[in-house]
Amino acid sequence: MSATAAPFGLRPAFHPSGLDRAVALANGIEAVSTSGNTSLGYASNIFKGAPVKMNTAGYIENISGNEAFLGAFAGVEWTDATGRRRVSNFWPANESFQVGSVIAYYYQDPNIVYEIQAAGTLTQGSIGDQFDLTNPTAGSTSTGLSSASMSTTGAGSGATNQLRVINLAPYPDNDWGDAYVIVRAKISQHQYGQIRVSNTNYTPIAV
C-alpha cells in the first residue's frame, strides 16, 4: 500500500507516441547579476520533477501557486566560475556560472502522462476530475528531487485545476483508498495554451 508520504514531483510515465524526451534550452536559467564572464543564477532551487514555467524573458523558473505551467524540470548543466563542467538533476539556488554555459532540461509536451503522489487518499471516482499541485517548489538538496504532490480536493463540476487524473499508477503496492495513492495525470492548465476542459460536460473553455 502507498501508506507513506514520499512525494517525488511530476515523473513522466509515457507519451502516446512513445517519446517523452526532455527539451534542452540553451541559456535556460536566468542570471540575477553578471560581472565579467560570470553570472549569478536564479535565486531559488529548481528540483527534478518540479512543475516549471517559462517566464517573460524566456527562462525556466518555478511556478507560483496554482498557475498554468509547461511541465516538469529534468535537470541542468553549466560551467562554473573555475571552468569545471557541472551536471545536476536540480538547479542549486544562486549558483554562479560562465555566461552562455547553462543548458536547462525540462518536459513540455502537453500530452505527456505523469505520475505523482497525492497528498492524501483518493477513490476511483477521482478519474476525470482535476486537482491542483501542492508544495510545487519544495524538494531535497540531497537527492535533488522535488517534493511536489497533488491535492486531494477536486475541481468538481464546471471548474479546472492544474492536473487531470486519468488512472491509477500500476504498482502492486498502490491502490485507490491508500493513504497516499500514486496516480497518473496530464496537465490540464498548460502554459502554451492547451485547451482546458471543464468537468461538467467536457465543453472546451477558452484559454
Side-chain angles (χ1 to χ4, degrees), residues 35-111:
S35 177
N37 191 44
T38 303
S39 294
L40 183 66
Y42 183 61
S44 298
N45 296 316
I46 310 178
F47 294 103
K48 183 176 182 178
V52 290
K53 65 180 181 181
M54 186 76 70
N55 70 18
T56 55
Y59 299 99
I60 292 298
E61 66 180 29
N62 289 314
I63 65 169
S64 176
N66 302 330
E67 60 183 338
F69 65 103
L70 276 182
F73 194 68
V76 61
E77 60 179 288
W78 70 95
T79 302
D80 67 21
T82 69
R84 177 189 174 193
R85 192 67 180 167
R86 304 278 299 277
V87 178
S88 175
N89 63 351
F90 79 105
W91 168 256
N94 298 308
E95 184 70 23
S96 294
F97 59 88
Q98 292 189 10
V99 175
S101 69
V102 178
I103 302 175
Y105 298 92
Y106 62 98
Y107 296 93
Q108 71 168 16
D109 192 313
N111 292 309

Side-chain angles (χ1 to χ4, degrees), residues 8-15 19-22 48-50 71-74 106-109 111-116 171 183-185:
F8 46 80
L10 290 159
R11 181 169 62 200
F14 68 90
H15 186 281
L19 299 174
D20 58 358
R21 296 173 180 165
K48 183 176 182 178
F73 194 68
Y106 62 98
Y107 296 93
Q108 71 168 16
D109 192 313
N111 292 309
I112 291 175
V113 175
Y114 296 93
E115 292 178 349
I116 188 168
Y171 301 119
V183 298
R184 286 185 168 176

Side-chain angles (χ1 to χ4, degrees), residues 116 118 120-131 150-156 163-169 175-178 181-186 199 202:
I116 188 168
T121 188
L122 290 170
T123 68
Q124 189 167 338
S126 64
I127 294 176
D129 203 354
Q130 298 182 42
F131 301 82
M150 190 186 76
S151 169
T152 57
T153 303
L163 298 170
R164 182 186 295 280
V165 172
I166 64 169
N167 209 339
L168 181 75
D175 203 356
W176 299 116
D178 285 355
V181 63
I182 299 172
V183 298
R184 286 185 168 176
K186 292 178 67 176
N199 290 322
Y202 297 97

